[in-house]
């Protein structure tokens, strides 16, 4: 395997690992730093929000700066965030380190994916895409276990330090990867102007809205209302600005595509339901069931393995049932899994939860046509922007999911504290599971309606072609 393929493999693995490894170590971080639940949520959200906010313009900026400069700066920033995160002992510095890593990952992902186009021929490009996807799956499966092992035996700081060998290896490979193309490798001599102001507005709006949801769990009303109004105001400003701007963050052709907007909406609902449950599962298992970090992270491995095992069913299902029915069935299966876990959540054992966890993973695999089908109706000239928006929506849904399920858990736990801390946490988790199941069922109904192809909606071959989507997760 050549240096380009190794670089792509390492980048896919480490950027995905940093998203999944924190969940198993979060309870250890909370205990050592005496973090309350809302602050703990920002350890995860701090990575996801800048990742989501910067992705829509990151591709354009990569074209302006060139692959070499972007990859070098992104790797140094990602590594600096990892080093700081592992060394500090205060909550705000940990969160700041996560923000830095998320911002760096937003530029690393499109820069690494651009290597597929510039450094590889058509045959090796397909190999590179397969390697990228495989490394995503491996990181998804290994992240929770690795986070638990490092937290239990070396300390939670190693959740951050484990990134550094990957960063060092990629920096060493960088010279070999880009020298063949010259010092301006991958640089577009006349790239489009990035919609930086629109990006800043929408990112600030996302931060305020997410903070409002997190603060709801604290029981107050004034601060969530102020934050929510601020976020809504920025969202309205963004929409009005987009209508008038010459360089739009979201091209008008995409906002007019029913299937594409439907895919964004359904993907947002999937992430809202699943991501928050994933983040709080190790916390429940450690605090309520008394498990160590390693055992507490194992249920997430069950989900990841189920995702990998069920993925081969997707190419079989889509031609037979259509992407809309396949995605709807996947979301309904996820909902069934969440309800199954909720039904046995009062049992203080892991084994009864396994069937529900398998359903969650298998159902999530069936939602993958969301991205590929959405890109089939997008013109080639917007394929890169559409891919970035789909990836950004997945990261945004993860951040909002952690905030939403965290708020539900916190409200119920506070109301049930008379039953004991462990029991109150378990009841809050059950409420989070039921909320997530409702979101998944809503997504299933919308998938049947919004993703169902209508006559006259199909793209013509002369103008549009299917484009592969490579998720950052």
């Amino acid at each position: 395997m050549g240096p380009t393929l190794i670089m792509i493999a390492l980048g896919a693995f480490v950027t995905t690992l940093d998203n999944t490894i924190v969940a198993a170590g979060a309870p250890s971080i909370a205990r050592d730093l005496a973090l309350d639940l809302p602050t703990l949520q920002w350890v995860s959200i701090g990575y996801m929000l800048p990742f989501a906010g910067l992705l829509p313009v990151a591709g354009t900026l990569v074209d302006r700066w060139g692959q070499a400069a972007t990859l070098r700066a992104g790797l140094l920033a990602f590594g600096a965030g990892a080093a700081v995160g592992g060394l500090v002992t205060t909550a705000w510095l940990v969160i700041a380190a996560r923000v830095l890593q998320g911002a760096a990952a937003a530029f690393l992902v499109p820069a690494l994916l651009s290597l597929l186009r510039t450094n590889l021929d058509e045959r090796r490009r397909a190999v590179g895409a397969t390697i990228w996807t495989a490394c995503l799956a491996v990181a998804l499966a290994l992240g929770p276990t690795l986070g638990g092992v490092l937290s239990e035996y070396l300390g939670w700081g190693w959740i951050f330090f484990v990134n550094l060998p990957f960063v060092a290896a990629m920096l060493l490979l960088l010279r070999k990867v880009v020298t063949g193309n010259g010092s301006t490798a991958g640089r577009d001599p006349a790239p489009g102007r990035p919609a930086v102001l629109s990006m800043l507005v929408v990112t600030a709006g996302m931060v305020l809205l997410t903070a409002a949801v997190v603060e709801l769990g604290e029981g107050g009303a004034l601060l969530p209302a102020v934050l929510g109004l601020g976020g809504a105001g920025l969202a309205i400003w963004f929409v009005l600005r987009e209508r008038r701007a010459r360089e739009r963050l979201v091209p008008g052709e995409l906002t007019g595509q029913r299937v594409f907007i439907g895919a964004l909406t359904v993907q947002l609902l999937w992430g809202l339901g699943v991501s928050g449950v994933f983040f709080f599962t190790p916390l429940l298992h450690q605090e309520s069931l008394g498990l160590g970090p390693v055992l507490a992270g194992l249920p997430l491995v069950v989900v990841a393995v189920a995702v990998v095992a069920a993925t081969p069913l997707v190419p079989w299902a889509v031609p037979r049932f259509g992407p809309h029915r396949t995605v709807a069935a996947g979301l309904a299966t996820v909902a069934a899994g969440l309800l199954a876990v909720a039904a046995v959540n009062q049992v203080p054992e892991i084994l009864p939860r396994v069937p529900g966890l398998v359903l969650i993973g298998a159902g999530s695999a069936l939602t993958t046509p969301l991205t590929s089908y959405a890109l089939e109706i997008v013109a080639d000239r917007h394929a890169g922007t559409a891919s970035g928006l789909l990836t950004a929506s997945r990261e945004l849904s993860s951040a909002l999911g952690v905030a939403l399920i965290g708020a539900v858990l916190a409200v119920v736990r506070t109301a049930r504290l008379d039953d004991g801390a462990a029991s109150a946490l378990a009841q809050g988790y059950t409420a989070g599971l039921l909320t997530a199941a409702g979101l998944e069922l809503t997504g299933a109904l919308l998938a049947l309606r919004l993703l169902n192809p209508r006559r006259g909606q199909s793209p013509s071959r002369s103008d549009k072609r299917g484009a592969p989507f490579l998720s950052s997760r």
Side-chain angles (χ1 to χ4, degrees):
M1 191 161 61
T4 296
L5 293 178
I6 295 173
M7 184 87 165
I8 288 169
L10 292 174
F13 183 82
V14 74
T15 53
T16 305
L17 183 72
D18 217 58
N19 231 339
T20 60
I21 196 173
V22 167
S28 300
I29 298 174
R31 282 194 299 270
D32 285 359
L33 302 185
L35 306 184
D36 57 13
L37 190 62
T39 306
L40 180 62
Q41 292 175 68
W42 284 103
V43 175
S44 179
I45 295 171
Y47 183 85
M48 297 168 180
L49 277 182
F51 201 161
L54 290 171
L55 265 174
V57 298
T60 302
L61 292 173
V62 170
D63 290 338
R64 280 178 170 267
W65 300 337
Q67 294 165 333
T70 303
L71 286 170
R72 186 176 295 108
L75 287 169
L76 290 173
F78 195 87
V84 170
L87 290 172
V88 298
T89 56
T90 58
W92 73 270
L93 282 175
V94 173
I95 294 170
R98 293 286 287 165
V99 170
L100 180 58
Q101 286 189 292
F107 289 95
L108 285 175
V109 168
L112 288 165
L113 290 178
S114 70
L115 294 175
L116 293 173
R117 182 181 70 249
T118 60
N119 286 34
L120 303 175
D121 57 30
E122 186 173 354
R123 182 185 64 82
R124 295 178 69 221
R125 198 174 298 149
V127 174
T130 302
I131 289 173
W132 179 274
T133 305
C135 288
L136 298 183
V138 171
L140 179 67
L142 285 182
T145 301
L146 185 57
V149 170
L150 291 173
S151 296
E152 187 162 348
Y153 297 107
L154 296 177
W156 61 262
W158 284 90
I159 290 175
F160 294 91
F161 294 147
V162 73
N163 293 301
L164 296 178
F166 294 95
V167 171
M170 293 173 72
L171 285 170
L172 290 174
L173 284 169
L174 184 59
R175 185 181 298 273
K176 294 181 180 180
V177 168
V178 299
T179 48
N181 296 332
S183 60
T184 59
R187 182 176 298 174
D188 186 346
R193 292 183 58 189
V196 174
L197 182 57
S198 293
M199 176 205 70
L200 293 175
V201 171
V202 74
T203 302
M206 289 191 301
V207 171
L208 290 178
L209 289 173
T210 304
V213 177
V214 171
E215 288 298 325
L216 280 175
E218 290 291 273
L222 180 59
L223 183 57
V226 171
L227 292 171
L229 287 173
L234 288 173
I236 294 171
W237 182 20
F238 169 74
V239 172
L240 295 176
R241 176 178 172 75
E242 281 286 281
R243 288 181 176 179
R244 298 192 301 265
R246 180 162 41 173
E247 299 293 337
R248 298 181 60 173
L249 189 63
V250 183
E253 292 90 337
L254 294 183
T255 58
Q257 286 284 2
R258 177 181 57 84
V259 172
F260 183 77
I261 297 301
L264 290 177
T265 303
V266 173
Q267 184 169 255
L268 185 66
L269 288 169
W270 171 82
L272 278 172
V274 169
S275 299
V277 170
F278 281 8
F279 181 75
F280 291 106
T281 294
L283 177 66
L284 171 88
H285 290 163
Q286 290 189 46
E287 301 298 328
S288 182
L289 304 187
L291 301 178
V294 175
L295 290 177
L298 285 180
L300 301 184
V301 178
V302 173
V303 176
V305 171
V307 170
V308 175
T311 297
L313 292 175
V314 176
W316 173 86
V318 171
R320 287 168 174 79
F321 307 111
H324 58 302
R325 294 190 185 94
T326 301
V327 171
L331 291 166
T333 303
V334 172
L338 291 166
L339 292 173
V341 176
V344 300
N345 192 46
Q346 77 280 4
V347 180
E349 298 177 13
I350 291 292
L351 192 59
R353 305 165 192 266
V354 170
L357 295 170
V358 170
L359 288 176
I360 294 171
S364 295
L366 293 177
T367 66
T368 54
L370 274 172
T371 51
S372 57
Y373 181 49
L375 284 172
E376 286 178 5
I377 53 86
V378 172
D380 281 353
R381 64 184 180 276
H382 295 311
T385 301
S387 294
L389 289 171
L390 285 163
T391 311
S393 74
R394 187 171 295 236
E395 293 296 324
L396 175 61
S397 72
S398 297
L400 288 174
V402 172
L404 176 62
I405 302 303
V408 172
L409 189 155
V411 169
V412 174
R413 184 183 66 170
T414 301
R416 300 290 185 177
L417 276 178
D418 291 342
D419 299 335
S423 176
L425 178 62
Q427 292 179 63
Y429 183 74
T430 298
L433 289 167
L434 295 176
T435 302
L439 292 168
E440 300 302 320
L441 289 174
T442 303
L445 294 174
L446 288 177
L448 287 174
R449 180 174 180 82
L450 298 178
L451 301 184
N452 187 9
R454 297 173 181 172
R455 186 168 299 178
Q457 283 283 119
S458 300
S460 64
R461 286 284 180 184
S462 60
D463 180 52
K464 301 173 183 177
R465 298 193 303 272
F469 173 73
L470 299 171
S471 171
S472 65
R473 295 191 59 188

